[in-house]
Amino acid sequence: MATGKINVSVENIFPLIKKFLYSDHEIFLRELISNATDATLKLKHLTSIGEAKVEYGNPMIEVKVDKDQKRIHIIDQGIGMTEDEVKKYINEVAFSGAEEFLDKYKDAEKDAGIIGHFGLGFYSAFMVADKVEILTKSFKDEPAVHWVCDGSPEFSLESVEKTERGTEIVLHIAEDSTEFLEDSRIRELLTKYNKFMPIPIKFGTKTETLPKPEGAKEEDPAPTQEVDDIINNPTPAWTKQPKDLKDEDYKSFYRELYPMQFEEPLFNIHLNVDYPFNLTGILYFPKLTNDLNIQKDRIQLYQNQVFVTDNVEGIVPEFLTMLRGVIDSPDIPLNVSRSYLQADGAVKKISSYITRKVADKLTSLFKNDREDFEQKWNDIKVVIEYGMLSEDKFFEKADKFALYPTVDGKYHTFEELENTIKENQTDKDDRLVVLYASDKESQHSYIEAAKAKGYEVLLLDSPIVSHLMQKLETSKEKLSFARVDADHIDNLIKKEDTAISKLSDEEKDKLKEQIEGVIGEKSSFTVQLEAMDSAAQPFIITEPEFMRRMKDMQQTGGGGMFGMGNMPDMFNLIVNTNHELVGEILNTKTSKKRERLINQSLDLARLSKGLLKGEELTNFISRSYEMIK
């Protein structure tokens, strides 16, 4: 196609429609059914205000496939059109709308999120048909008309006999689009785009089993009858008022949305606002694991009950894209690019409204049934922690309901935690130190050492908790988090009284040299000599909090900002200078025995830290048996 300013004229509009919309040509059915729905709802409005002197009745939209004749029929019982209206809305408005659309977006990429978003309406029919007919009779007392166009600028328009009010569109399917003559393909599209349209959509018939008549024998087959197959639910749960829905209605709708989900949602949030924008919907909290991968079943976006997309980034705050459900708003501009959407003022208001509603719902759930909320915490914490990290307003509200579980299964809000540990876990610099473990099993000995001091230990094991701790430390005064294996317990919460070492400075220098000589220069351990209680272990391996946390953050995004590349594991080997065994290492006469004592002590420390594996573990076990002998 030539570059530059092209005047998209009627002569070349059809090939352009084919070219531009080819990748999205399945949306023709959504567009035509949307038009049929609009025509039906307009009639409903005109009859309700007395402008249309006809019976509205119980209209439906019917889709019929005639495979032999290669035709698709879309029939409505709506407002219909007069000859003048066909000339105006089909020949003039639709053509000019199509031209304007193509002119505006002719340089856009096919995947820019533009194509098929209510841009072309009626003329999308030419993506799949090489001839289109319209048979229509207005609700006004005027003759019916028949419009035919074969995809060229030529069309014919004449009066015709038609007794029923409404419009029938007949598509003569092109050779490259015969997939749409398969019932299964049409059913798939109707289910995808029109599952919740407000007017019943009939597609064929189905067999319904009737109750057996009185006196029928058990072996007699039950009678059946053919009934219209209505493929949509015109009044889905989100279109109703929350007061008219029970818990089972919400669960039933969830199953309707996600038929392949066999686990019940934890709870739902019903959205319903008409000022300063229109928005309805239902969001569900599914059970979430610590896996941060995007969920397969995503939130679905509708415009007046017509499915648009399940790519809701920019409309729904990012942390809530892990939820499921439906959002329906006529106020979201859908025929523009996603970058425009994200900058749109109305969309930003919608996003912050949804954030607020979710926070309010979580607050009320916590207040009304705390025990139930605690039981669900592990299944919802990833969403809440992510929200606290990414949305400041949500962070403020979450202070009331975000929970901090302990290794013993107790749950505290931050305020409760602060009150519980303030007296015992404030260090000499008046800083509150929150101790936590990420794995109860592998950090067991460290947890026990903290408990022996009367300290509370949290269990924080979600993948983004390092980021959250960083945020809490910067937003609250005199607070620090420390994992129980980050240092010896006395160093994690430093008090005024420090133990006195039994060794002189010269002895300490000599001991450090001996240990470093055995573990080698290339070791990942930094040797630190500490005067501790003689009952504490002789060798303790710790992982410095800052370095380990940066590594954790890097693995879930964000650590890269510190310019550290792929950070290696770093450990401190803390040697208790007051332990009897350490004194023996220093005073041992033979280097062989000293080496054996150091290796054995180091391996025991590595074992308690989960660092002894493979060949080294095998050697340690063999050496231990030899020592027993």
Side-chain angles (χ1 to χ4, degrees):
M1 191 168 88
T3 56
K5 184 80 179 74
I6 297 175
N7 178 24
V8 183
S9 64
V10 169
E11 278 75 25
N12 64 10
I13 198 164
F14 292 107
L16 275 170
I17 288 170
K18 286 261 188 185
K19 178 180 168 60
F20 273 85
L21 300 179
Y22 190 75
S23 66
D24 244 3
H25 62 333
E26 68 175 37
I27 59 95
F28 81 93
L29 192 60
R30 179 189 75 181
E31 297 294 321
L32 296 177
I33 287 181
S34 296
N35 288 350
T37 303
D38 288 344
T40 312
L41 293 174
K42 276 175 187 162
L43 182 70
K44 184 179 187 180
H45 176 67
L46 292 177
T47 53
S48 71
I49 61 172
E51 277 197 28
K53 310 293 184 191
V54 293
E55 235 359 90
Y56 177 68
N58 295 304
M60 66 168 65
I61 296 163
E62 183 174 8
V63 179
K64 293 199 286 194
V65 175
D66 183 341
K67 197 168 182 178
D68 295 336
Q69 298 292 321
K70 295 187 177 176
R71 290 179 194 163
I72 297 174
H73 301 251
I74 293 125
I75 305 156
D76 71 57
Q77 297 156 9
I79 199 167
M81 287 182 282
T82 63
E83 184 173 340
D84 285 345
E85 285 168 343
V86 171
K87 284 177 183 173
K88 181 181 177 183
Y89 295 117
I90 301 299
N91 295 343
E92 293 171 24
V93 175
F95 260 132
S96 61
E99 287 201 51
E100 185 188 337
F101 179 85
L102 290 168
D103 193 40
K104 187 171 181 181
Y105 296 121
K106 61 181 178 282
D107 297 323
E109 294 296 322
K110 282 202 174 99
D111 61 354
I114 295 163
I115 303 303
H117 281 168
F118 299 85
L120 275 179
F122 170 72
Y123 274 90
S124 63
F126 286 96
M127 291 189 292
V128 297
D130 47 26
K131 184 165 92 172
V132 177
E133 298 178 61
I134 302 173
L135 290 145
T136 183
K137 179 169 173 56
S138 171
F139 73 97
K140 300 167 188 171
D141 190 20
E142 290 198 32
V145 289
H146 183 202
W147 178 94
V148 184
C149 180
D150 63 0
S152 72
E154 305 300 321
F155 63 87
S156 64
L157 184 62
E158 59 184 357
S159 297
V160 71
E161 286 299 314
K162 176 173 161 56
T163 52
E164 290 181 353
R165 177 194 70 233
T167 301
E168 177 174 0
I169 309 282
V170 184
L171 308 180
H172 296 258
I173 298 300
E175 283 303 319
D176 61 0
S177 297
T178 52
E179 63 177 288
F180 298 111
L181 293 169
E182 301 297 331
D183 281 4
S184 58
R185 183 76 170 108
I186 294 298
R187 187 174 292 276
E188 175 199 336
L189 294 183
L190 291 172
T191 305
K192 178 177 178 180
Y193 291 111
N194 307 105
K195 190 175 180 179
F196 299 113
M197 292 289 273
I199 306 296
I201 301 166
K202 175 188 172 184
F203 184 56
T205 58
K206 61 182 178 182
T207 305
E208 205 172 68
T209 305
L210 299 170
K212 288 184 183 181
E214 257 187 70
K217 294 177 184 170
E218 200 176 319
E219 62 270 19
D220 289 347
T224 59
Q225 67 175 12
E226 288 295 304
V227 294
D228 292 342
D229 190 0
I230 304 298
I231 58 96
N232 62 322
N233 171 3
T235 54
W238 85 80
T239 63
K240 299 172 183 173
Q241 290 298 316
K243 64 181 172 57
D244 298 329
L245 295 165
K246 297 185 175 67
D247 193 41
E248 185 44 51
D249 296 321
Y250 286 111
K251 286 178 180 172
S252 170
F253 179 58
Y254 183 77
R255 289 190 289 270
E256 199 175 342
L257 275 177
Y258 307 109
M260 299 312 290
Q261 276 296 334
F262 302 112
E263 219 168 13
E264 296 278 316
L266 296 165
F267 48 81
N268 62 268
I269 297 163
H270 198 130
L271 307 168
N272 196 346
V273 64
D274 52 19
Y275 181 82
F277 47 80
N278 284 292
L279 178 97
T280 52
I282 299 170
L283 296 179
Y284 292 91
F285 267 78
K287 275 193 174 185
L288 291 171
T289 61
N290 279 349
D291 184 3
L292 282 179
N293 292 331
I294 291 298
Q295 303 294 312
K296 179 172 63 70
D297 292 314
R298 301 193 291 188
I299 293 171
Q300 298 173 11
L301 181 67
Y302 287 75
Q303 190 189 62
N304 293 324
Q305 293 177 239
V306 182
F307 174 77
V308 178
T309 181
D310 60 4
N311 181 6
V312 292
E313 287 165 34
I315 299 158
V316 173
E318 193 180 352
F319 78 100
L320 294 177
T321 55
M322 289 184 272
L323 303 189
R324 298 193 181 122
V326 165
I327 288 169
D328 189 334
S329 175
D331 292 335
I332 294 174
L334 296 166
N335 57 340
V336 290
S337 69
R338 197 144 292 278
S339 59
Y340 177 89
L341 246 190
Q342 287 165 352
D344 184 76
V347 171
K348 282 184 175 166
K349 284 187 186 129
I350 287 171
S351 181
S352 47
Y353 165 78
I354 294 170
T355 301
R356 192 175 76 246
K357 282 293 285 186
V358 169
D360 291 347
K361 176 73 174 187
L362 290 165
T363 304
S364 71
L365 286 166
F366 174 72
K367 283 181 179 169
N368 295 340
D369 192 344
R370 175 160 178 169
E371 191 180 338
D372 183 59
F373 191 84
E374 287 179 358
Q375 285 173 357
K376 289 172 177 170
W377 177 254
N378 277 333
D379 293 314
I380 61 174
K381 66 185 176 192
V382 173
V383 176
I384 293 171
E385 289 170 356
Y386 193 5
M388 289 170 74
L389 273 172
S390 56
E391 302 275 333
D392 284 339
K393 284 183 178 168
F394 186 80
F395 180 83
E396 288 164 26
K397 284 179 175 276
D399 213 35
K400 301 280 188 292
F401 58 75
L403 293 177
Y404 300 86
T406 71
V407 289
D408 299 320
K410 289 183 285 184
Y411 290 85
H412 301 295
T413 62
F414 191 83
E415 188 183 355
E416 291 165 352
L417 176 69
E418 201 172 15
N419 292 333
T420 303
I421 67 172
K422 191 161 45 181
E423 194 176 332
N424 205 18
Q425 289 179 223
T426 301
D427 69 10
K428 63 185 178 62
D429 300 318
D430 203 29
R431 182 176 290 274
L432 186 70
V433 182
V434 179
L435 299 176
Y436 72 98
S438 58
D439 186 325
K440 280 204 294 191
E441 297 302 313
S442 66
Q443 292 154 13
H444 183 266
S445 63
Y446 300 89
I447 293 168
E448 290 306 305
K451 281 184 176 181
K453 295 268 186 185
Y455 297 153
E456 191 84 274
V457 181
L458 300 183
L459 180 62
L460 303 178
D461 58 0
S462 86
I464 54 175
V465 80
S466 296
H467 297 271
L468 182 61
M469 289 186 298
Q470 205 83 348
K471 172 121 182 172
L472 287 162
E473 286 170 344
T474 52
S475 64
K476 296 181 185 290
E477 285 185 12
K478 294 203 164 186
L479 171 73
S480 72
F481 283 80
R483 204 167 84 177
V484 284
D485 58 350
D487 205 333
H488 180 261
I489 193 65
D490 290 343
N491 289 338
L492 290 177
I493 306 178
K494 276 189 181 286
K495 306 283 187 179
E496 293 297 349
D497 51 331
T498 52
I500 299 166
S501 177
K502 290 180 182 176
L503 304 183
S504 66
D505 288 348
E506 291 83 4
E507 285 174 319
K508 284 195 273 191
D509 289 344
K510 184 181 174 187
L511 176 65
K512 190 173 183 184
E513 196 179 303
Q514 289 172 343
I515 292 169
E516 285 175 344
V518 171
I519 66 174
E521 287 179 11
K522 292 179 181 175
S523 161
S524 57
F525 297 109
T526 303
V527 178
Q528 286 179 216
L529 304 185
E530 300 270 355
M532 297 185 279
D533 192 302
S534 59
Q537 292 175 6
F539 280 27
I540 300 165
I541 292 170
T542 63
E543 236 176 314
E545 176 73 19
F546 176 77
M547 299 301 284
R548 196 216 67 256
R549 200 189 292 183
M550 290 305 106
K551 191 174 171 67
D552 288 349
M553 287 169 71
Q554 189 183 54
Q555 285 169 354
T556 51
M561 69 182 82
F562 298 96
M564 295 185 179
N566 284 324
M567 295 164 60
D569 289 322
M570 297 179 73
F571 301 100
N572 289 334
L573 174 61
I574 297 175
V575 179
N576 181 1
T577 58
N578 289 341
H579 197 281
E580 189 182 342
L581 177 63
V582 173
E584 191 180 338
I585 288 170
L586 179 68
N587 298 314
T588 294
K589 298 286 185 271
T590 67
S591 58
K592 198 170 181 183
K593 184 182 177 187
R594 183 184 306 115
E595 191 175 321
R596 196 175 74 243
L597 288 173
I598 291 170
N599 279 329
Q600 193 71 2
S601 302
L602 177 62
D603 281 353
L604 282 165
R606 291 167 77 198
L607 193 64
S608 74
K609 181 79 176 150
L611 296 173
L612 199 60
K613 292 169 185 168
E615 186 182 352
E616 291 176 323
L617 178 58
T618 306
N619 292 341
F620 166 75
I621 293 166
S622 302
R623 192 169 69 238
S624 300
Y625 279 130
E626 287 299 318
M627 291 173 78
I628 294 169
K629 283 183 199 171

